Amino acid sequence: MTPIPRPLVDTAPIVIEGMSMPTPGLDAYAEPWRKPEHDDLAEMARTFFLKEVVPHAARLEQQGHPDREHYLKAGELGLLGLSVPEEYGGGGGDFTHEAVLLHEQTQTGEGSLGLAVHSGIVTGYLAAYGTEEQKRRWLPKLCSGEMIGAIGMTEPDGGSDVQAIRTRAVRTGDDFLVTGSKTFITNGYLADLLILAVKTDQSAKAHGISLLVCELDDAAPGFRRGRNLEKIGLHANDTAELFFDEFRVPAGNLLGGPDAENTGFYQLMQQLPQERLVIGVGAVGAMQRAVELATAYAKERTAFGKPLIGHQNTRMVLADCVTRTRVSRVFLDDCIVRHARGELDVATAAMAKLYLTEGQCEVVDRCLQIFGGYGYTTEYPIARMYADARVQKIYGGTNEIMKELIARAL
Ligand SMILES: Cc1cc2nc3c(=O)[nH]c(=O)nc-3n(C[C@H](O)[C@H](O)[C@H](O)COP(=O)(O)OP(=O)(O)OC[C@H]3O[C@@H](n4cnc5c(N)ncnc54)[C@H](O)[C@@H]3O)c2cc1C
């Protein structure tokens, strides 16, 4: 009797490109915060990304920004503002729901919609600091997708040293006149609502910063969008320059109301841990997808008469990568649980951003290697993932700044 050949690994799930499938070594793990409602949300989000957006990926990459219709469709499905209270048009959930959405976006390979900023960051600022009037005015439109949100901190002269920003807002009657420029603004080409970091007291550093909520209208005097920047990755998501020359913003748009003037730095520092966690969610999603894609390829492709996964080096690399991914998920979940309790401190969030994005770049690079020459061609998603990963070590505060923050807490 011919012996039945033993499979090279015990379980061999077939990975369909873009689909979130079980991964040996990963699917045995369940997030401690996960409930059935998160599974329902994950399924809805995955279906939306795969059916509505991913089929347009090539065109979106070409145009350099997402389609507004996709924001509106996401809003219709209730996928925007998942953590925003229902009374303001949101889903009434918490950060775990945003994390599920972002994980599915990464897992499906959807890279156009700037949801990490729109939902993961901008709505958070409004919900945390907005006056009642401000929340009622802007949150429903962000949740429906009528408005696209962005946040502007970085300036051409520097991003790491937020205290040194130069964009100034001078009070004249009932308005602020804003003059200056911002660069690298995610969603900046399409954004309708911008949380803008400005200096309201030129003589002060951190204590002179305020956040203004700007409704962006291309016809408004004093406002101009610059280039939609060409990048090595994230081609389908817009990253733009914004210019202000005595741009008029009503004083009522000061985030948090009149008493919040010059408290912007404090507001930013309070929200940055969540921004770093959002980046970490994307990092772990990308690691998981890279491992899935590389595992499937290694089972399919043969060299020297056997599948790649039959060669010891491939097995060792995948074992390293899946272990790194699993450990990263556990750390990320610990941070998510801390954040849900309001206890995620600056240093721990910085550790998450540092460790998870370094892990993403390493895992994606090692998985790309398994694809050989095909891994370098953009026809294979792993190549795009490689280019997309690099910026994770730069934005949200560079990883060097993360080390500073961690070291300061020692
Ligand atoms: C695709 C993309 C999207 C982005 N989206 C946004 C956005 O939506 N909103 C926004 O406001 N910004 C955004 N950014 C900007 C991003 O946050 C900044 O690029 C980042 O904070 C670094 O600032 P910088 O580019 O001015 O670099 P710099 O601050 O000039 O730093 C240059 C280098 O010096 C290092 N460095 C600086 N200071 C120190 C120090 N004290 N110790 C050690 N090393 C140091 C840095 O780590 C870096 O390696 C985005 C950037 C990109 C590329």
Side-chain angles (χ1 to χ4, degrees):
M1 209 169 104
T2 327
I4 300 166
R6 285 185 54 218
L8 290 159
V9 289
D10 294 340
T11 49
I14 293 174
V15 176
I16 301 163
E17 189 188 318
M19 285 293 286
S20 183
M21 300 295 283
T23 310
L26 287 179
D27 61 334
Y29 172 79
E31 298 93 339
W33 44 263
R34 200 156 177 122
K35 298 187 192 134
E37 75 200 42
H38 293 101
D39 294 335
D40 297 342
L41 169 64
E43 195 180 324
M44 189 207 272
R46 197 181 311 137
T47 307
F48 165 69
F49 292 128
L50 286 176
K51 284 211 173 135
E52 306 280 346
V53 198
V54 172
H56 303 279
R59 177 179 59 76
L60 296 171
E61 287 202 1
Q62 200 70 34
Q63 79 180 14
H65 61 81
D67 282 350
R68 261 182 193 280
E69 293 68 44
H70 290 149
Y71 278 103
L72 289 167
K73 183 77 191 172
E76 241 173 67
L77 291 169
L79 294 173
L80 301 180
L82 290 162
S83 55
V84 170
E86 286 178 45
E87 57 188 305
Y88 304 115
D94 57 30
F95 184 75
T96 60
H97 300 90
E98 304 288 3
V100 166
L101 177 77
L102 296 173
H103 181 80
E104 292 305 323
Q105 186 181 20
T106 312
Q107 276 278 287
T108 56
E110 200 299 293
S112 71
L113 294 164
L115 301 181
V117 169
H118 177 90
S119 287
I121 298 172
V122 174
T123 60
Y125 275 85
L126 287 169
Y129 306 115
T131 62
E132 191 54 29
E133 191 273 332
Q134 291 174 339
K135 289 185 206 178
R136 294 207 176 276
R137 197 158 138 213
W138 292 310
L139 282 173
K141 289 187 178 167
L142 289 168
C143 294
S144 67
E146 274 170 87
M147 279 187 152
I148 297 172
I151 179 151
M153 291 179 266
T154 308
E155 301 189 347
D157 288 339
S160 298
D161 188 1
V162 179
Q163 298 186 27
I165 59 166
R166 297 217 242 152
T167 298
R168 62 181 191 277
V170 179
R171 183 74 188 256
T172 47
D174 289 339
D175 297 321
F176 283 103
L177 289 184
V178 176
T179 301
S181 56
K182 297 286 172 181
T183 192
F184 304 130
I185 305 308
T186 299
N187 300 346
Y189 183 75
L190 291 182
D192 310 284
L193 196 75
L194 174 74
I195 311 252
L196 181 66
V198 293
K199 272 278 166 78
T200 32
D201 179 353
Q202 313 304 313
S203 63
K205 288 190 84 182
H207 297 298
I209 293 176
S210 300
L211 300 182
L212 285 180
V213 187
C214 305
E215 294 191 29
L216 300 179
D217 170 1
D218 290 300
F223 169 65
R224 183 168 68 81
R225 285 180 221 261
R227 292 169 299 160
N228 182 14
L229 298 165
E230 286 189 20
K231 311 182 289 288
I232 61 172
L234 300 181
H235 293 302
N237 179 249
D238 45 321
T239 309
E241 301 168 318
L242 302 174
F243 298 102
F244 308 92
D245 183 8
E246 301 209 327
F247 173 58
R248 205 169 273 278
V249 180
N253 289 23
L254 187 70
L255 183 64
D259 293 344
E261 189 164 338
N262 297 328
T263 66
F265 191 74
Y266 166 80
Q267 293 169 328
L268 288 169
M269 292 307 116
Q270 285 261 310
Q271 293 297 310
L272 278 170
Q274 172 154 328
E275 179 170 348
R276 288 166 189 155
L277 211 45
V278 161
I279 293 172
V281 171
V284 174
M287 279 188 239
Q288 185 171 331
R289 183 163 187 246
V291 172
E292 286 173 358
L293 292 173
T295 306
Y297 188 79
K299 287 177 183 170
E300 228 171 63
R301 176 87 170 167
T302 55
F304 297 93
K306 57 181 174 181
L308 294 179
I309 202 157
H311 294 279
Q312 192 187 35
N313 178 66
T314 315
R315 299 164 69 77
M316 301 297 114
V317 169
L318 286 173
D320 279 345
C321 289
V322 80
T323 306
R324 180 83 191 249
T325 304
R326 174 82 169 261
V327 172
S328 298
R329 267 179 76 167
V330 175
F331 179 34
L332 174 68
D333 282 331
D334 177 57
C335 291
I336 290 176
V337 169
R338 282 168 192 261
H339 188 49
R341 288 202 302 254
E343 292 169 7
L344 182 66
D345 60 284
V346 169
T348 308
M351 286 177 199
K353 201 261 173 183
L354 171 68
Y355 183 76
L356 302 176
T357 59
E358 299 282 342
Q360 175 185 1
C361 288
E362 187 186 320
V363 165
V364 171
D365 182 36
R366 296 185 76 189
C367 287
L368 182 149
Q369 187 73 11
I370 290 174
F371 284 77
Y374 293 107
Y376 198 66
T377 67
T378 51
E379 282 164 46
Y380 279 74
I382 195 75
R384 288 200 294 276
M385 291 177 73
Y386 179 78
D388 291 351
R390 188 60 182 85
V391 75
Q392 292 264 86
K393 298 202 275 193
I394 298 171
Y395 58 23
T398 65
N399 283 8
E400 290 74 27
I401 297 299
M402 295 307 105
K403 289 180 197 175
E404 267 299 316
L405 295 173
I406 297 161
R408 264 182 225 166
L410 295 176

